Amino acid sequence: MLIVLLLFKLLIWYNLVGDKMKEKNILYVVIPCYNEEEVLQETTKKLKEKLKSLISEKKISKNSKVMYVNDGSRDATWSLIKKINAEEKLFTGISLSRNRGHQNALLAGLMVAREYADVVISMDADLQDDVDAIDEMLKKYAEGNAIVYGVRSSRKKDTFFKKTTAQGFYKFMHLMGVEIVFNHADYRLTSKRVLKDLETFKEVNLFLRGIFPLIGYKSDVVYYERSKRFAGESKYPLRKMLNFALDGITSFSVKPLRLILNLGVIIFIISILMLIYFLVIKIEGKAVQGWTFIVCSIWFISGLQMLSLGIIGEYIGKIYSETKERPRYIIAENLEEND
Ligand code: UDP
Ligand code: MG
């Protein structure tokens, strides 16, 4: 009797552990959403197909999910996410207490997803990132890469404006000494381990694509064709794009500050030379001349000073917001906890 009981227990134990083993590679796809009611149905359809096929091919665990992050949307996005979750357990969601911006929403999603998943992929809600690149990403992950960056192979489908500004942005970032993967946005695979390390980066001014290369580990890239936004309009107008670029530079590089110093030194040397020149003129008795020159210099130097102060102010602003250590996001609801 006892032996039977013991065998029975062993069987249960084996089943549990066996299940755990099979449960490897729980994939969570994290998608920040801000006013995305127009695209959510289609995105859901596409991802459902993808995940179902990956599960049936046994590439990922059946407990894998898509996690939508509602970033304080003003439209029906959150109620839509809840509806999708109620219909299909493959989809889940969290909702932030208010709009915190793409990067913070993404971070919130990554941090929640890492509690449930072994591997997390982040992508945009608008289907611009090709879902078929997920297979390749998982393959590279299986080969031992902790981070796989999705890199767009071309920008043929972008508008001319977006293409030139984006490309200029990457070049400028490089010049400023920020290490980022060229033409990579936030479509990437990360392992649970990497997300644990990401948590130790406490900065409030988030620029995730600058942080991941800093985390390190073995990484690789996957190329994909980026398509047009499926519906709705871009949540990144020029103003936001410029802010984002400025954040990227001032959060990662002190080069602009160094540049000001160099500029100051050069101007100082020039002004000494000028002083000597003016003294010589004075001694030679060639009185007042060059009014234009003086006025121009005043304008030029004041402009330069204002610019330099502005750049320094930008950094001081960063220090100000970092020292307050305010939370980067507040989660109001988590559908995973209701399940
Ligand atoms: N997004 C967000 N919060 C915001 C702005 C955007 O969560 O405050 C999300 C948006 O829903 C989308 C992603 O960030 O999933 C990228 O935005 P978008 O597609 O508008 O940017 P673009 O592709 O035009 O650069
Ligand atoms: Mg987009």
Side-chain angles (χ1 to χ4, degrees):
M1 187 64 201
L2 204 73
I3 291 175
V4 173
L5 209 75
L6 234 118
L7 266 174
F8 192 62
K9 270 209 163 147
L10 208 73
L11 199 74
I12 290 175
W13 180 81
Y14 177 79
N15 258 341
L16 281 178
V17 173
D19 264 353
K20 266 257 153 59
M21 304 255 273
K22 265 184 257 154
E23 237 88 280
K24 265 247 162 241
N25 286 349
I26 300 179
L27 167 73
Y28 266 54
V29 181
V30 171
I31 303 180
C33 307
Y34 177 57
N35 297 344
E36 297 286 12
E37 60 179 7
E38 284 161 279
V39 299
L40 227 49
Q41 293 289 8
E42 185 64 23
T43 307
T44 302
K45 201 177 120 219
K46 271 259 172 69
L47 281 167
K48 189 171 158 184
E49 272 169 30
K50 187 84 239 169
L51 256 68
K52 286 250 154 102
S53 84
L54 284 170
I55 290 170
S56 66
E57 286 165 30
K58 299 219 168 9
K59 285 185 179 158
I60 54 172
S61 150
K62 60 181 188 321
N63 292 334
S64 300
K65 282 184 187 185
V66 173
M67 176 177 271
Y68 290 121
V69 182
N70 172 39
D71 184 19
S73 300
R74 274 189 278 266
D75 63 1
T77 301
W78 181 234
S79 49
L80 208 62
I81 293 172
K82 282 198 281 195
K83 193 173 138 251
I84 293 167
N85 166 258
E87 283 166 7
E88 175 68 77
K89 286 295 166 214
L90 201 60
F91 294 86
T92 179
I94 60 172
S95 182
L96 302 190
S97 59
R98 52 159 295 163
N99 179 251
R100 295 293 289 126
H102 178 202
Q103 297 288 294
N104 289 301
L106 185 53
L107 179 76
L110 292 175
M111 287 304 123
V112 175
R114 101 181 167 81
E115 289 168 30
Y116 309 96
D118 300 304
V119 47
V120 178
I121 292 177
S122 55
M123 61 185 286
D124 287 352
D126 53 12
L127 292 175
Q128 284 192 283
D129 305 321
D130 178 14
V131 290
D132 290 325
I134 292 179
D135 299 64
E136 188 82 5
M137 282 182 169
L138 287 169
K139 207 172 127 231
K140 298 245 155 123
Y141 169 71
E143 286 167 13
N145 292 293
I147 307 175
V148 184
Y149 299 98
V151 173
R152 43 172 95 176
S153 46
S154 77
R155 283 181 173 268
K156 266 183 275 163
K157 286 177 186 152
D158 270 352
T159 60
F160 176 75
F161 179 71
K162 182 101 190 176
K163 190 159 68 189
T164 34
T165 47
Q167 227 122 40
F169 166 66
Y170 287 107
K171 296 239 167 78
F172 189 60
M173 292 292 279
H174 227 81
L175 210 71
M176 287 289 130
V178 187
E179 190 190 327
I180 45 170
V181 179
F182 191 68
N183 267 344
H184 158 71
D186 280 302
Y187 188 23
R188 82 176 77 76
L189 174 147
T190 41
S191 70
K192 196 188 186 84
R193 174 68 201 266
V194 169
L195 294 177
K196 188 162 162 259
D197 296 317
L198 176 66
E199 208 177 15
T200 61
F201 285 71
K202 297 288 181 204
E203 53 218 87
V204 177
N205 299 286
L206 262 194
F207 185 66
L208 289 170
R209 25 188 129 152
I211 295 177
F212 282 103
L214 285 182
I215 295 178
Y217 298 119
K218 190 167 177 276
S219 66
D220 206 340
V221 296
V222 161
Y223 292 94
Y224 71 98
E225 194 72 48
R226 190 164 160 107
S227 38
K228 269 215 171 76
R229 185 173 243 283
F230 164 72
E233 56 190 35
S234 171
K235 272 80 193 169
Y236 265 107
L238 185 63
R239 182 178 54 81
K240 266 199 195 169
M241 240 156 53
L242 286 177
N243 276 342
F244 189 54
L246 201 64
D247 260 359
I249 294 161
T250 51
S251 302
F252 278 87
S253 153
V254 284
K255 266 202 180 171
L257 286 176
R258 181 71 46 79
L259 219 69
I260 292 176
L261 186 72
N262 292 344
L263 218 66
V265 172
I266 292 170
I267 289 175
F268 183 67
I269 293 171
I270 293 177
S271 63
I272 287 182
L273 294 178
M274 298 263 242
L275 210 77
I276 297 170
Y277 172 68
F278 289 137
L279 272 178
V280 170
I281 288 180
K282 190 96 184 147
I283 290 165
E284 283 179 353
K286 292 178 193 157
V288 214
Q289 42 147 236
W291 177 84
T292 341
F293 179 73
I294 291 173
V295 173
C296 286
S297 336
I298 290 172
W299 278 95
F300 176 69
I301 304 287
S302 342
L304 218 62
Q305 277 176 341
M306 291 300 266
L307 183 78
S308 308
L309 277 177
I311 296 179
I312 293 170
E314 194 58 42
Y315 280 93
I316 293 178
K318 287 267 140 76
I319 297 169
Y320 175 69
S321 52
E322 295 293 348
T323 48
K324 276 194 291 214
E325 287 186 41
R326 284 190 179 153
R328 293 176 284 187
Y329 54 84
I330 293 166
I331 294 166
E333 258 180 276
N334 181 355
L335 297 181
E336 286 286 79
E337 280 166 2
N338 305 342
D339 289 350

